[in-house]
Amino acid sequence: EEYRVDPRHVTIELTESALMADPDRAQEQLESLKRCGVHLSIDDFGTGYSSLAYLRRYPIDELKIDRTFVDEVATNPDDRAIAQTIIAMAQALGLSVVAEGIETIEQFEVLHSLGCHTGQGYFFAKPLFPDELMQRFSIDRAA
């Protein structure tokens, strides 16, 4: 409200361990956020508890494939199989999926061929300060 941002344009990323610390409280808070229209994402999926039960329990919109599975997705059959499984599971559950840490065209191509069409990493851009981002996209701060 303070910044007049539509909640539909906000995504909160949560770690698996944060959800498991107090599952009942987490469920209440996440359901409250969903009622406001906020999107919820599980960050670093597959590296924590990886309990599939919380995918049913919590109102999650998105899974983020951890970079540890992306690093060698183009060369390691096991990492490719894990990424493929996460992507297929997310799609079957109606969730979006994002690959973290994409740094090469090979990683991008493999993930895209597996059905992951959203990613982040140095392949796309290095992190930017807000002013750099505004300049890159020619956004006028006064607008």
Side-chain angles (χ1 to χ4, degrees):
E1 288 178 9
E2 181 178 341
Y3 294 102
R4 288 173 279 182
V5 175
D6 186 330
R8 294 174 299 159
H9 300 297
V10 175
T11 298
I12 296 177
E13 296 183 8
L14 309 143
T15 61
E16 296 175 66
S17 57
L19 293 175
M20 302 316 265
D22 188 347
D24 292 330
R25 184 164 184 250
Q27 184 171 3
E28 290 173 18
Q29 291 177 331
L30 296 179
E31 288 174 357
S32 176
L33 289 167
K34 285 303 294 176
R35 284 191 297 274
C36 293
V38 172
H39 292 272
L40 302 171
S41 178
I42 301 295
D43 194 26
D44 303 331
F45 186 78
T47 62
Y49 294 97
S50 296
S51 171
L52 300 180
Y54 68 73
L55 294 179
R56 259 188 343 196
R57 178 177 187 173
Y58 301 123
I60 302 301
D61 300 296
E62 175 182 271
L63 298 179
K64 295 185 79 175
I65 302 171
D66 187 72
R67 72 176 306 122
T68 58
F69 306 119
V70 172
D71 285 344
E72 297 182 22
V73 73
T75 58
N76 183 325
D78 292 338
D79 285 348
R80 181 185 173 107
I82 290 169
Q84 184 173 20
T85 300
I86 293 170
I87 293 164
M89 180 179 57
Q91 291 172 339
L93 294 170
L95 305 174
S96 300
V97 63
V98 177
E100 297 181 303
I102 299 174
E103 296 184 357
T104 68
I105 186 71
E106 293 82 12
Q107 292 167 331
F108 171 77
E109 288 174 344
V110 167
L111 290 160
H112 192 268
S113 74
L114 295 175
C116 181
H117 304 295
T118 307
Q120 63 188 61
Y122 286 177
F123 175 70
F124 304 106
K126 299 218 189 282
L128 300 171
F129 288 102
D131 288 340
E132 294 172 311
L133 179 67
M134 304 289 261
Q135 183 178 3
R136 176 173 284 183
F137 292 102
S138 302
I139 299 171
D140 182 9
R141 276 195 153 198

